Amino acid sequence: MSTGKIAIVGAGPSGCFLAQSLLKAAPELEVDLIDRLPVPYGLVRYGVAADHQGTKAVARQFARVFDRQGAEFHGNVTLGADVTLEALQGAYDAVVLAAGLSNDRPLDVPGAALPGVWGAGLITRALYDHPDAGTLPDLGPRPLIVGNGNVAIDLLRLLAKQPEELEGSDLGPVATDWLTQSGIEEITITGRSPAAQAKFDTVMIKELAKLSGVTIHVEGAGSSEDAAEAKKIEAVLALNGHATGPRRVTFRFGLAPLAVEGDDHVTGMRFKTDAGEETLPCTSVLTAIGFCADGQLPRDALLARAQDIEAGVLAPGLYATGWFRRGPRGTIPENRADAQALASRILADLTPDPAKPGRAVLADLDARVDYAGWTRIDAHETATAPEGRVRAKIARREEMLRRAREEES
Ligand SMILES: Cc1cc2nc3c(=O)[nH]c(=O)nc-3n(C[C@H](O)[C@H](O)[C@H](O)COP(=O)(O)OP(=O)(O)OC[C@H]3O[C@@H](n4cnc5c(N)ncnc54)[C@H](O)[C@@H]3O)c2cc1C
């Protein structure tokens, strides 16, 4: 009897949860996780904040998918560049797109292209040593954050921290220097909606009360009769007046972006408010307003033609899950339910074709990194962690590839 062969593109949380569910239900399956990076776990490694190591610990659960459940990792393989979707569909009984959404959603207002406007994804990738990231920009003394989700709060917290508050993180030396020598005097964080409807989680707001070098000011938090909304407002208001140091943090709500101001660099941001318009001066604008596809895969076209998008079925034998399917919403655990439902659907649809070559289609890709290669990178990073850090991430792809191969022969 032929076992089914399944390729999952993207070894982030969605891909790992899916492999976990598939192999739990049908351990004989051949499940391959293909990722364009030489390292697995997607945003667990390159999005979740460096000072939230507890959240990153989910990677240990994902590791079991490879070292106990038998999934294979094929890193440093980009769908759309190293291998085509058609080739994967020809080789596997089922192909699943779990490629996430890696580009920052652009701010759609005049001036958004001015120097000094940066997306949160771009900044966090650079902070967390993503191999394709650029250098960290100069934000000037008064950055302004646009957005009120958890990613915006992550950015705010990191920008506001003192050097000793970064202990126990996996921030590298470049990012550490960038943060500690930023010269930031004031951070303004703005949300379009009132505080009652802000997207951040209350627990993220409460954590800000531990910051040791800031003075926090909350403006216009409003009120609500709704119990959940009132709790959110209460959490934000509890920060008002928190004064442990000179760096000022100001929360503003109900500000709809109208334009980024400036001639050849950002000087301010103009907003529509209940009372009319208001311009807040700033030296940079950091947008944390969601994510979109990077264009490597024809996501829009695939989703538009999808057979059953709610079930994750794009076409016979072709599926989508996680952020790639749902859009940039939901925490890591929220991808698990999605993956479990999709695993059942794939298993119900599966008709294994013994003639399909499966992972042999990847055999000619010499620069592929397997799971053993990743464990060598991982071991090196944890063994070389400097004092006060849990790992020393390798930032350059060539070095990752070299470490992955080190003991191979
Ligand atoms: C900055 C940030 C902070 C976050 N913090 C938290 C948090 O603290 N707690 C929490 O629960 N959630 C957090 N989230 C949300 C969480 O990261 C997502 O729910 C989750 O990562 C989505 O999983 P995914 O597998 O769909 O996508 P991803 O994690 O993005 O994984 C997609 C994978 O696909 C790969 N890929 C992309 N394109 C290709 C291609 N063409 N070929 C091959 N591989 C490809 C990528 O390299 C990546 O490894 C955060 C998100 C962001 C952006």
Side-chain angles (χ1 to χ4, degrees), residues 325-349:
R325 180 181 79 78
R326 300 195 314 274
R329 281 171 300 278
T331 59
I332 293 165
E334 286 175 71
N335 298 296
R336 189 195 281 124
D338 201 357
Q340 284 168 341
L342 183 60
S344 306
R345 174 66 191 246
I346 292 172
L347 291 170
D349 289 351

Side-chain angles (χ1 to χ4, degrees), residues 166-235:
L166 301 169
E167 295 264 318
S169 73
D170 60 6
L171 266 191
V174 175
T176 302
D177 288 351
W178 184 78
L179 284 174
T180 54
Q181 293 161 23
S182 67
I184 290 176
E185 294 165 6
E186 176 172 24
I187 308 164
T188 307
I189 177 161
T190 64
R192 178 184 284 269
S193 39
Q197 277 115 47
K199 291 209 174 66
F200 48 64
D201 289 323
T202 305
V203 61
M204 296 283 287
I205 292 297
K206 288 186 173 163
E207 189 182 348
L208 299 177
K210 296 187 194 138
L211 288 172
S212 68
V214 295
T215 296
I216 303 179
H217 181 58
V218 178
E219 277 184 41
S223 61
S224 173
E225 296 297 310
D226 176 87
E229 291 186 354
K231 261 198 159 149
K232 194 164 264 195
I233 294 170
E234 192 188 323

Side-chain angles (χ1 to χ4, degrees), residues 8-17 34-37 39-49 52 55-56 74 76-81 83 97-102 120-121 124-125 128 130 150-152 154 157 204 291 294 296-297 321-335 338:
I8 302 173
V9 179
S14 308
C16 290
F17 280 132
I34 296 168
D35 205 288
R36 66 178 166 199
L37 295 176
V39 294
Y41 313 141
L43 286 168
V44 173
R45 183 172 160 101
Y46 291 118
V48 172
H52 278 179
T55 307
K56 285 175 186 276
H74 301 266
N76 204 32
V77 176
T78 303
L79 178 61
V83 64
L97 302 178
L101 295 171
S102 51
T124 48
R125 276 195 296 279
Y128 305 148
H130 190 291
N150 289 339
V151 172
D154 271 350
R157 190 184 64 254
M204 296 283 287
F291 296 88
D294 60 12
Q296 193 127 45
L297 302 173
T321 189
W323 274 24
F324 189 86
R325 180 181 79 78
R326 300 195 314 274
R329 281 171 300 278
T331 59
I332 293 165
E334 286 175 71
N335 298 296
D338 201 357

Side-chain angles (χ1 to χ4, degrees), residues 255-302:
L255 300 184
L258 284 178
V260 181
E261 307 277 9
D263 292 330
D264 48 12
H265 194 277
V266 173
T267 56
M269 178 98 196
R270 187 152 50 86
F271 296 94
K272 187 173 181 317
T273 68
D274 280 348
E277 288 188 12
E278 182 176 352
T279 298
L280 300 180
C282 60
T283 51
S284 54
V285 170
L286 307 179
T287 63
I289 53 170
F291 296 88
C292 57
D294 60 12
Q296 193 127 45
L297 302 173
R299 177 174 182 263
D300 289 349
L302 287 166

